[in-house]
Each structure stands twice: as C-alpha cells, then as structure tokens.
Amino acid sequence: MTIKDRNLFRITRFILLKTPVLFKFFAKFRNPRKRLLIIKTDAIGDYILSRNFIEIVKKSEVFKDHKIDLLGNKLWQDLSLKYDSPFIEDFFFIIPDDLYESPLKTIKLSWRLFKNNYETVLQPTFARTFITDGLAGLTAAKQIIGFEGDTERISRKYKTKTDQFYTERLPLPTNIRFEFERSRFFFENVLKQPVTINGPFIPVEKSRRQGIIIFPGAGVLKRSWGTEKFLALIKLINQQTLQPVYLAGGPHEKKIGDFLIENLPPKSVNNLIGKTSLPQLAELIGNAALIIANETSAIHIAAATQTNTICILGGGHFGRFAPYPDHIQNRPLCIYEKMECYNCNWNCIFQMMENESYPCISNVSLEKVWKATLQLLPVT
C-alpha cells in the first residue's frame, strides 16, 4: 500500500486495530445468525482461481443452511454479479487500497458488516492484507478463519496484531504453492470434506471458436513482454492464418493498442482494448480459438473457459499463478526463460530503465513464442 495522507491513514489504522475489540465486546450480547461472509478482495486472476469454491461452500453440509455474503473487489464486480449471484445473498465491493485513507468509508462498511451478525467469516487469501484483516475483525463473528499467511502484503508489526482477530489460522504446507491449490486446501480444511473440482471454470455461452486474441498489456509495464515483440508476433500470425486477430485489454492499455495499430497494415487487427466489460471479455475469450498474453487475468479466464492459451511468463511469482500444475486440464502453455533469481516477488535485483521489462520477461525470445504459437495456431 502507498499512503499519501498519513493523518487519514492514522485514523483508519485506529479503526482497524482498536474498534474490533469494542465490537467483539458488544457481540457477546447477541446470538449469531446462520450467515457466512467470504472475504476475497484480490485482483481478477486471484478471483478466477477461487470463485468456483463459492458454490461448493453453498452446497456443503457445514453451510448449506447459511446465507452467504461476499466482500469482493470492484475490479471483478460485474463478473461476480453475473456468475456468483445464485450462491450469494449480499455483495459488498470495495477498492481495498482506497480504504486506507478513507476512515469514514471504512467505519461505515464495518458497521454494515457488524450488523449482519455473521456466525462465520472466511478469509481464504494466503497473502493477507491489513485492510482485509481489519475488516474481518470488525465483523466480530463467532469464528473467523484464515491462513497463517506471510508478510508479503502486510507488515509484521500489523500482522502480529491482526493475527489476534482470527479464531483459527491455517498453516499452509510448503509444497502447496499454486493459488488454486491453496484455495482447495483452505476449503477442504474448513468444510471437512474433499473438494474434487480440477481447475477454474466459467460457464460462458459457446459458439464456433474463432479468432486469435492478443493481450499486449500486463497491468505493470515492466511485467510486459514488450510492444515491439508483440508487433512482430502479430505480423507472423497474419502471414500464417486467415483467422481474425483482436487486441484486448483494459482502458489503461490504450496507448499500447494505438502503437500496434499505427505500425500494422490497415484492417490487419481489430482493436478492442478498453471497449469490453469484464463479462463481455470472458465471453470473447471463451469463444476464441487462441489467446496470447502476458501473465494477466486473461490467461486464467482462458483456462476457466477451456480456451487454448499461450502465456509469456516472468519469474516474480513463478509457480504461484503460473505455470499451472500438470493435473489441471486446459492449462495455459507457458513460455519462459528460467533464471536463478526466480520467485523474487517482483523485487528485481537488476537495474533497468523505467520503461524496460524485467529481464526474466524480456529474455523470452520471439522465436520461442512463435514456435509455441505454431503448435496451437488455427490456419483457417
């Protein structure tokens, strides 16, 4: 988290650390309802890798007679409302980092959650954050279950305090690294039953698979393969197939799309960057013949819609979000150049220009990506 207004943060910090004690005292004088809150406020890819467990919780013996609420991230609000509504009673969507400097919004949300009188709160994210820990504590639920977690996204001085909000903290075995498998481990332990789903799934409406969709952006510029390489790759694709080629991504990637359009022959690609909602994007991906992307939410949506995918992968979180384990069907084909510094949490040890990609990504050659593309490229 990046704090600009320290005074506002201090007020929010007080709310997150001190108010749970007060709410817990008042909760002693009420009987909890059969109501469950799931807190999952991570980015889109994290949500895709965990959303199918919501249905399993709803149908489980433990919670089948509970109302289930979801506290999620506004980034994936539209997608969740479309696909998760059959299992969720009430939705709450936030921009987590904004709350650190919004004490009034934080206390209003906290009061709403407290009034719902939850019996159980589940926080299934391993890399816990200060804001989600605090919100979990502010529910004053009878049981609050999360991971023991680490200090990747929360400082040790806060984690030591917010650990006390949990009635149970699950230690994660060191051999479980992939995010989907972390979620499986969490829910199997909470539900006391095996979870048999084998990968993420989104039930998009299917038609004839057609088109190659390129996602040239990566959210963070340094985690992108580079526009010049994508430009060269698109030219090779257009020489090899009659399939339509599309550019896709979020509004903040519009400049990348403009560069590619300006440097490609007219009508050689269709630019959809910033022009689709998340549900529309899921439908588009689900009906494509091939996706080529950096390590972004697009590769997880593709896996969830059983679409062939090539992921150009860096090493910052290698094994956590990609590559997928071999036992998961429809996993992306990941192209990477292994380096000794992998799993650095994107704290790169190399010096580079501000507009340069991390070496673990820029080292992936065009030839290597093109060779992988030829394996999956539809000709007509």
Side-chain angles (χ1 to χ4, degrees), residues 273-287:
I273 293 178
K275 299 176 182 178
T276 59
S277 67
L278 194 55
Q280 289 172 335
L281 194 62
E283 295 286 339
L284 189 68
I285 291 173
N287 288 283

Side-chain angles (χ1 to χ4, degrees), residues 199-241:
F201 177 70
I202 299 175
V204 298
E205 294 184 13
K206 299 282 188 176
S207 60
R208 178 172 174 261
R209 287 194 179 276
Q210 188 173 22
I212 298 150
I213 309 177
I214 311 288
F215 288 81
V220 177
L221 180 62
K222 288 184 176 298
R223 292 170 63 173
S224 171
W225 190 42
T227 50
E228 293 287 352
K229 287 182 177 177
F230 274 111
L231 177 65
L233 180 64
I234 292 169
K235 290 179 179 178
L236 290 171
I237 290 171
N238 279 329
Q239 292 170 9
Q240 191 72 23
T241 181

Side-chain angles (χ1 to χ4, degrees), residues 81-136:
L81 289 173
K82 179 171 183 177
Y83 292 110
D84 301 330
S85 291
F87 318 112
I88 298 298
E89 184 76 15
D90 286 328
F91 291 89
F92 305 90
F93 291 105
I94 62 172
I95 301 174
D97 285 352
D98 285 0
L99 292 183
Y100 287 115
E101 298 176 60
S102 304
L104 185 58
K105 287 183 180 180
T106 301
I107 196 64
K108 284 183 177 179
L109 174 60
S110 302
W111 182 244
R112 289 180 67 191
L113 297 176
F114 175 75
K115 287 197 303 180
N116 280 343
N117 195 6
Y118 294 108
E119 179 184 76
T120 303
V121 171
L122 302 180
Q123 216 277 65
T125 298
F126 178 78
R128 288 160 36 198
T129 65
F130 185 27
I131 193 70
T132 51
D133 276 6
L135 291 172

Side-chain angles (χ1 to χ4, degrees), residues 1-3 6 9 97 100-101 130-131 153-155 158:
M1 59 182 177
T2 302
I3 302 301
R6 301 299 302 181
F9 172 69
D97 285 352
Y100 287 115
E101 298 176 60
F130 185 27
I131 193 70
R153 298 169 64 197
I154 182 173
S155 69
Y158 294 140

Side-chain angles (χ1 to χ4, degrees), residues 160-176:
T160 300
K161 297 175 180 178
T162 60
D163 277 350
Q164 308 308 311
F165 299 155
Y166 291 87
T167 57
E168 183 178 1
R169 303 193 309 274
L170 301 176
L172 181 71
T174 55
N175 65 323
I176 301 178

Side-chain angles (χ1 to χ4, degrees), residues 132-196:
T132 51
D133 276 6
L135 291 172
L138 284 159
T139 65
K142 183 178 179 180
Q143 60 175 352
I144 302 176
I145 306 173
F147 275 115
E148 179 63 42
D150 57 17
T151 54
E152 180 185 340
R153 298 169 64 197
I154 182 173
S155 69
R156 190 172 300 279
K157 68 177 181 178
Y158 294 140
K159 183 178 181 299
T160 300
K161 297 175 180 178
T162 60
D163 277 350
Q164 308 308 311
F165 299 155
Y166 291 87
T167 57
E168 183 178 1
R169 303 193 309 274
L170 301 176
L172 181 71
T174 55
N175 65 323
I176 301 178
R177 180 161 176 79
F178 186 57
E179 281 294 320
F180 181 86
E181 297 301 336
R182 288 179 172 183
S183 292
R184 186 203 300 274
F185 172 84
F186 180 88
F187 286 106
E188 285 186 337
N189 277 270
V190 170
L191 303 178
K192 311 299 182 187
Q193 68 178 57
V195 175
T196 57

